[in-house]
Amino acid sequence: LHFADLQHRGPTRVDVCGYPLSIFFIVVNEFCERFSYYGMRAVLVLYFRYFLKWDDDLATSIYHTFIALCYLTPILGAIVADSWLGKFKTIVYLSIVYTVGQVVMAVSAIHDITDTDRDGTPDNMTFHVAMSMVGLFLIALGTGGIKPCVAAFGGDQFEDHQEKQRSTFFSIFYLSINAGSLLSTVITPILRGQECGIHSQQKCYPLAFGVPAALMVVALIVFIMGSGMYNKTAPKGNIMLEVCKCIGFAIKNRFRHRSKTFPKREHWMDWAHEKYDKLLVAQVKMVLKVLFLYIPLPMFWTLFDQQGSRWTLQATTMDGNFVRTVNPILILALVPIMDSLVYPLIKKCHLNFTPLKRMTVGMLIAALAFVAAALLQLQIDQTLPKLPKGVAGQVKFLNLNQAPLTVTIDGTADVSVPAHQVNTGGYLTFDKPVRVVFNKNTSAGTDLPLMSQTRRTALVSPTLDMNLVYDLSKKPDDGMNAIRFVNGLGSPLNVTLGVGDIAPLSVSNYSLVPQGKAEFTIMNSGGASCLYSKELGFGSAFTLVIPSTFNIGIPDCWQAIQVVEDIKPNTIHMGWQIPQYFLMTAGEVVFSVTGLEFSYSQAPSNMKSVLQAGWLFTVAVGNIIVLIVAEAAQLPDQWAEYILFASLLAVVCIVFAVMSYFYTYTDPAEIEAQFSQPEHEPEEKKRDRVEMERKDSDCSKSSKGSDKKKRDSVVEQHNQDVKQSKM
């Protein structure tokens, strides 16, 4: 009895400054959830690329598949909340799923779990991939499922007389989303940049995923803490399902009466009048009118969401720090500038800058952003190593002698190689096996095999023996620098910072070193040492040659070390990405904010959630288009892919402009008011059904092979319609 009494009492309502205290828990929950989502997403494509070792195309494809799933699941969340569980339970249950997904992602990034040989590389990558995919699926289900519920649940906390406070709440709610996004895109890349691990130190993806997981736990706890204060409305049925049923009945009824004997109706949705009242049919017409305009919109999101994939990968080939934070900062700056300055100025110029025209301009600006990205990519490509096509390979000669060396290739071309240096001009390209001779001495020659699309260094020892070693053929991952040492001495050496022991007249493996000052200690077997330091940028590869004249015991011994540049460091500063980010963010503000405003103004009062679901669906389709176009195009150059996407959006923009030209703006309230007067709808429906039955009977009598079975089926269908109408 006591429990039943508590159930009837309802929520404990507490107001602070005219606002329900319960919205505090909702705003904090949203901030933590957005931090969790955008924080994980900020480093996701880098995790695919550098931890799971996927190539750029696969990393991009899985990234956009995940984003598409995040924007498909809101439809499921809305149906579950409105039809069965209610908003509160849906948020709680799916937040638990969401939290589990984030924890699974953090665990999947711990390389020590499967690193049994403790070499810093996971030995069972299948385990990490499987865990990652499970985690991402749970996150997509959670973040998408609660997306349509949280804001609406916050609005439910206000009474009818608190309209002003409700409006302020939505502004604060939107601010919490952007604040969470901004902070997470700043913090999680920094967390990822830390070194962590049990047996070996690696980029700290567990921390970059673990902090968002912790924030999601906080979000769930805070939301549940306010449970006793919430106004929890019971599920009243899902309007989306009702709309789908109405549309389905109209199509079915039209198909059933497709004969020319039945008069045409003004709109194909009018075929639903036999079962649904005119107000609902009119509202569905308004919704379909806007949804038709949504058809070209996914192409904008196709370009927009590549900020987190292609543009992030582009940044790893540049010089400087991560600039993904530019987007949320620009959003917070450009929204008030557009509303307070740009749009009023356009209005003063007496230009009819309608919402649909704004959206068209936003799409064009986004296309320009990809043109800017393509121009930047052309400049970046000039700094990237270029391998020959086909069967050709590249070789350079490294002379370990104290005297210069002449290399004769196939008895014709002579190449000069200075002492303790590589040949003048760097890499030589060969598309067939060749014979090389040193210092015109035919007895000291050797064959150079075919090396298809690879780079190698030929170490020439004092005895004129040649040892081929592989060089890097592309930039080191993640803006790191690859350093290796060549021991030109006749005795072994040991080099710190991950290089290890180097045998006489041999070369070490490449060691990856981050940007900044790197210090190596070179030691011989007698314990003498020499400290060598070098300032490193981003994305370079060097071979450091310890010559045969190297004296490890003297001061400034490091000056004798010769530096050979295998791959140039990144020289295009990451700040050059700011123009494309600025254009894309400006396009987002003009397109996205205006689109939401337009959809809200054109939607019937009870179907705004339907258009919201439709809007989110365009985002999902846009990410699917990335997968289709990127896989189908198979363009060899990234700049060409950028131009392709920009061209596709420009074409779609023209189509959208034509569709907008023929669109007529409506006032949903005015249309709904026309149906406010009570009508004898059941009688009208009955007359329509009787008339339809008569025409069905006449049609069946005049048809060949008409018989009693067909007449019985007409009567039976009429009876079923009557029963369904009564229900």
Side-chain angles (χ1 to χ4, degrees):
L1 288 175
H2 180 63
F3 177 75
D5 182 54
L6 286 175
Q7 288 288 95
H8 288 300
R9 285 183 187 178
T12 304
R13 184 166 184 89
V14 180
D15 286 358
V16 178
C17 299
Y19 292 86
L21 182 60
S22 57
I23 66 169
F24 166 79
F25 300 95
I26 297 172
V27 169
V28 173
N29 167 269
E30 183 66 11
F31 169 83
C32 295
E33 188 275 326
R34 289 292 85 186
F35 186 106
S36 178
Y37 174 73
Y38 282 107
M40 178 275 304
R41 182 172 149 178
V43 297
L44 184 59
V45 75
L46 300 177
Y47 171 74
F48 292 156
R49 182 67 184 83
Y50 302 122
F51 185 91
L52 299 183
K53 303 299 182 182
W54 292 345
D55 60 27
D56 289 357
D57 290 335
L58 180 58
T60 299
S61 298
I62 300 300
Y63 175 85
H64 287 285
T65 301
F66 168 68
I67 302 300
L69 195 58
C70 287
Y71 284 94
L72 286 173
T73 49
I75 299 174
L76 177 64
I79 293 174
V80 170
D82 291 345
S83 301
W84 295 297
L85 295 180
K87 298 184 187 72
F88 175 76
K89 288 184 178 179
T90 301
I91 294 171
V92 171
Y93 294 159
L94 290 182
S95 291
I96 294 173
V97 172
Y98 192 168
T99 305
V100 172
Q102 289 282 32
V103 172
V104 170
M105 276 299 295
V107 172
S108 75
I110 303 175
H111 67 276
D112 290 300
I113 292 178
T114 62
D115 186 15
T116 54
D117 56 6
R118 302 186 179 183
D119 63 349
T121 303
D123 298 321
N124 185 2
M125 194 59 77
T126 303
F127 168 82
H128 295 278
V129 172
M131 288 283 286
S132 301
M133 295 304 100
V134 171
L136 289 177
F137 176 77
L138 295 177
I139 291 170
L141 187 62
T143 187
I146 68 175
K147 192 183 294 290
C149 300
V150 180
F153 186 69
D156 291 344
Q157 306 310 307
F158 294 87
E159 304 289 346
D160 293 339
H161 65 278
Q162 295 178 307
E163 191 63 36
K164 183 178 178 181
Q165 288 88 340
R166 182 187 285 115
S167 177
T168 305
F169 160 74
F170 284 117
S171 298
I172 297 172
F173 187 82
Y174 184 73
L175 180 63
S176 70
I177 292 174
N178 284 280
S181 169
L182 175 59
L183 287 176
S184 64
T185 50
V186 172
I187 293 173
T188 51
I190 295 174
L191 297 176
R192 169 190 165 273
Q194 307 303 309
E195 298 284 333
C196 65
I198 301 173
H199 305 303
S200 61
Q201 299 294 301
Q202 304 287 339
K203 289 289 184 184
C204 204
Y205 289 101
L207 185 61
F209 290 144
V211 170
L215 263 292
M216 197 57 225
V217 172
V218 173
L220 178 60
I221 293 173
V222 168
F223 186 75
I224 294 177
M225 282 173 61
S227 176
M229 303 180 189
Y230 295 142
N231 177 26
K232 304 169 188 174
T233 56
K236 300 177 181 178
N238 194 284
I239 189 64
M240 281 194 293
L241 291 178
E242 192 68 16
V243 169
C244 292
K245 289 178 182 178
C246 183
I247 294 172
F249 179 79
I251 295 172
K252 179 181 176 182
N253 202 30
R254 176 68 185 92
F255 182 78
R256 187 190 305 158
H257 303 100
R258 61 188 180 277
S259 172
K260 292 182 179 180
T261 59
F262 299 99
K264 291 184 178 180
R265 302 192 179 182
E266 185 178 351
H267 191 281
W268 63 272
M269 275 303 303
D270 291 335
W271 288 95
H273 282 152
E274 282 80 4
K275 183 176 179 182
Y276 296 92
D277 60 65
K278 289 186 176 181
L279 174 59
L280 179 63
V281 173
Q283 290 171 330
V284 172
K285 286 181 184 178
M286 288 186 277
V287 167
L288 291 175
K289 189 178 178 183
V290 178
L291 289 179
F292 177 71
L293 274 180
Y294 280 2
I295 293 175
L297 302 191
M299 201 64 214
F300 173 87
W301 302 112
T302 298
L303 276 67
F304 178 81
D305 278 330
Q306 289 190 61
Q307 293 177 95
S309 56
R310 291 299 194 195
W311 286 13
T312 298
L313 294 173
Q314 182 188 59
T316 62
T317 61
M318 301 178 72
D319 178 22
N321 295 317
F322 212 44
V323 296
R324 280 285 307 278
T325 54
V326 170
N327 179 254
I329 292 173
L330 287 175
I331 288 176
L332 295 175
L334 287 178
V335 168
I337 290 174
M338 288 290 183
D339 288 339
S340 306
L341 184 62
V342 177
Y343 293 152
L345 283 176
I346 293 175
K347 189 175 181 180
K348 283 189 177 182
C349 294
H350 303 290
L351 296 175
N352 187 21
F353 200 38
T354 61
L356 292 179
K357 289 180 180 178
R358 294 182 193 177
M359 295 173 68
T360 305
V361 170
M363 296 169 81
L364 283 175
I365 296 175
L368 289 176
F370 261 61
V371 172
L375 295 175
L376 178 60
Q377 189 64 45
L378 284 171
Q379 299 302 314
I380 294 174
D381 288 347
Q382 301 301 316
T383 68
L384 301 179
K386 294 179 177 59
L387 283 175
K389 309 229 181 251
V391 297
Q394 293 178 331
V395 179
K396 68 175 183 281
F397 295 91
L398 176 57
N399 181 14
L400 298 182
N401 294 273
Q402 296 185 28
L405 187 69
T406 299
V407 180
T408 303
I409 302 169
D410 274 352
T412 57
D414 288 342
V415 178
S416 175
V417 189
H420 305 126
Q421 280 289 350
V422 297
N423 56 281
T424 306
Y427 285 102
L428 303 173
T429 301
F430 301 104
D431 58 3
K432 62 179 181 179
V434 295
R435 175 78 175 174
V436 296
V437 174
F438 305 116
N439 291 338
K440 305 292 185 179
N441 186 352
T442 56
S443 64
T446 186
D447 292 322
L448 196 63
L450 186 67
M451 295 168 287
S452 302
Q453 295 187 29
T454 62
R455 284 183 160 187
R456 297 194 195 182
T457 294
L459 300 177
V460 184
S461 69
T463 59
L464 300 185
D465 292 327
M466 187 177 71
N467 179 27
L468 284 173
V469 294
Y470 280 98
D471 296 352
L472 288 181
S473 56
K474 63 177 184 177
K475 288 275 188 180
D477 288 344
D478 203 12
M480 299 289 280
N481 300 278
I483 306 294
R484 66 179 177 181
F485 284 80
V486 174
N487 181 7
L489 298 176
S491 58
L493 294 173
N494 180 275
V495 181
T496 59
L497 206 63
V499 178
D501 295 328
I502 313 174
L505 303 177
S506 63
V507 61
S508 69
N509 293 324
Y510 282 107
S511 295
L512 294 179
V513 183
Q515 177 265 346
K517 186 177 182 180
E519 293 186 341
F520 302 88
T521 301
I522 304 168
M523 295 181 292
N524 62 14
S525 55
S529 64
C530 178
L531 181 65
Y532 177 83
S533 63
K534 183 173 180 58
E535 194 69 32
L536 300 173
F538 294 88
S540 64
F542 292 98
T543 298
L544 304 178
V545 182
I546 301 173
S548 58
T549 57
F550 182 70
N551 190 339
I552 199 169
I554 65 172
D556 297 332
C557 55
W558 59 269
Q559 293 183 356
I561 296 177
Q562 303 294 319
V563 179
V564 176
E565 187 179 70
D566 298 333
I567 296 177
K568 294 181 179 180
N570 302 341
T571 55
I572 308 296
H573 195 272
M574 207 175 288
W576 285 105
Q577 277 196 322
I578 292 178
Q580 67 201 52
Y581 272 100
F582 176 82
L583 288 171
M584 183 58 77
T585 306
E588 178 193 6
V589 170
V590 177
F591 174 87
S592 181
V593 176
T594 305
L596 289 171
E597 176 190 342
F598 166 78
S599 301
Y600 191 87
S601 67
Q602 297 296 294
S605 57
N606 63 334
M607 295 189 183
K608 299 188 187 298
S609 61
V610 177
L611 285 184
Q612 176 69 10
W615 180 266
L616 295 175
F617 185 73
T618 64
V619 181
V621 175
N623 281 271
I624 294 172
I625 292 174
V626 178
L627 310 179
I628 297 171
V629 174
E631 292 297 325
Q634 292 293 322
L635 297 174
D637 298 313
Q638 187 57 53
W639 68 265
E641 186 177 290
Y642 288 148
I643 292 296
L644 173 63
F645 279 114
S647 302
L648 289 174
L649 183 57
V651 172
V652 168
C653 185
I654 295 172
V655 173
F656 181 74
V658 173
M659 294 170 64
S660 302
Y661 179 78
F662 291 100
Y663 182 83
T664 304
Y665 290 86
T666 58
D667 184 356
E670 184 178 332
I671 294 175
E672 290 171 342
Q674 297 174 6
F675 300 93
S676 60
Q677 298 299 325
E679 296 182 7
H680 299 290
E681 190 66 27
E683 290 297 325
E684 185 176 343
K685 286 185 182 179
K686 184 177 179 180
R687 288 197 302 271
D688 287 341
R689 289 198 183 91
V690 171
E691 180 66 17
M692 196 66 68
E693 179 199 353
R694 186 185 62 78
K695 289 181 179 179
D696 282 342
S697 300
D698 292 344
C699 183
S700 92
K701 286 178 182 177
S702 62
S703 301
K704 283 187 176 182
S706 60
D707 53 19
K708 186 174 181 301
K709 260 186 190 179
K710 288 188 178 180
R711 288 195 299 272
D712 291 341
S713 68
V714 171
V715 173
E716 180 63 25
Q717 180 63 45
H718 172 69
N719 291 337
Q720 289 180 2
D721 288 346
V722 170
K723 289 178 181 178
Q724 197 164 6
S725 176
K726 288 180 179 178
M727 291 174 66

